[in-house]
Amino acid sequence: MNLAVFISGGGSNFKALIDAQNSGYFNSQIKFVVSNKNAPGLKYAKENNIDFLISKDEDEIIKNLKEHNIDLIVLAGYLVKISKKILDEFTVINIHPSLLPKYGGKGFYGMNVHNAVFENKEKVSGVTVHFVNEKLDDGDIILQKQVDISHCKNADEISQEVLKVEHKTLKEVIRILEEEECVH
């Protein structure tokens, strides 16, 4: 599969996918990166000679995705809701730092999720990778992994524990999708 990774921040999940690709963990190739802003994670695209686009214009994004023959879009910390126009053209997956449906939806991303998990004194959190549909954090779940956070003393510690599992889970999902050939 030809992958496009969408990022808005530091790109640690994007970097984990590059490492998995380079080590032969999966056969797919990251062909393109999209960011809605000049995100720090774009440095990984530059370092690995991966084409990228900084844009919020969905027509421009779609045009570039088609030019790169993208089979699958991977949202890896992308903080913009994906439009129906893109969803009608491409299969899109997202990684979310909780066990959906808990702590999903509007306003629940990044540290907002981990702060809510901590404030609610949860003992377990986790990671969900799901197909994207028109509702936020609502599509069919591909893979979930639980993370024991009972020892965490604050939301930052929860974030660090969950992120370790995010990196492993996302590459596993790419391999699962390759094996199932469920991307159109």
Side-chain angles (χ1 to χ4, degrees):
M1 292 184 297
N2 289 336
L3 308 179
V5 181
F6 284 34
I7 66 171
S8 292
S12 70
N13 274 306
F14 172 40
K15 172 78 164 71
L17 287 176
I18 291 170
D19 292 345
Q21 172 186 291
N22 291 343
S23 72
Y25 185 85
F26 52 68
N27 295 318
S28 295
Q29 294 293 307
I30 302 166
K31 296 290 187 182
F32 194 56
V33 179
V34 173
S35 184
N36 58 309
K37 59 186 181 181
N38 191 10
L42 289 172
K43 70 181 176 190
Y44 301 121
K46 294 171 189 166
E47 290 169 359
N48 290 277
N49 297 313
I50 300 170
D51 288 345
F52 67 91
L53 174 68
I54 301 169
S55 179
K56 295 179 186 175
D57 180 319
E58 65 184 19
D59 290 325
E60 180 182 24
I61 292 169
I62 290 170
K63 177 179 162 284
N64 277 272
L65 292 169
K66 287 181 175 179
E67 286 173 2
H68 287 85
N69 298 312
I70 297 304
D71 300 305
L72 178 68
I73 296 171
V74 180
L75 306 183
Y78 189 64
L79 300 180
V80 177
K81 189 172 188 289
I82 298 297
S83 71
K84 180 173 177 5
K85 196 170 187 178
I86 292 175
L87 291 173
D88 286 346
E89 298 265 356
F90 299 94
T91 301
V92 184
I93 64 171
N94 180 49
I95 186 156
H96 186 79
S98 77
L99 295 171
L100 291 175
K102 283 180 124 181
Y103 307 105
K106 188 169 174 57
F108 281 107
Y109 60 89
M111 285 307 296
N112 293 355
V113 171
H114 304 306
N115 285 325
V117 167
F118 182 73
E119 288 167 14
N120 287 318
K121 299 177 173 50
E122 300 279 1
K123 300 294 180 212
V124 174
S125 188
V127 175
T128 304
V129 180
H130 64 94
F131 288 106
V132 174
N133 63 22
E134 291 180 53
K135 297 179 187 170
L136 282 176
D137 301 326
D138 180 67
D140 291 342
I141 292 170
I142 303 165
L143 186 61
Q144 279 189 320
K145 297 259 180 119
Q146 290 189 356
V147 179
D148 177 3
I149 56 165
S150 59
H151 63 284
C152 294
K153 297 176 182 63
N154 56 49
D156 285 329
E157 288 184 14
I158 293 170
S159 171
Q160 290 169 15
E161 291 298 313
V162 170
L163 191 60
K164 290 178 205 168
V165 177
E166 281 185 49
H167 293 164
K168 294 175 187 168
T169 305
L170 195 51
K171 70 180 185 179
E172 284 180 42
V173 167
I174 301 301
R175 189 186 261 177
I176 288 168
L177 294 177
E178 285 178 345
E179 290 169 2
E180 295 179 1
E181 297 178 0
C182 60
V183 174
H184 62 267

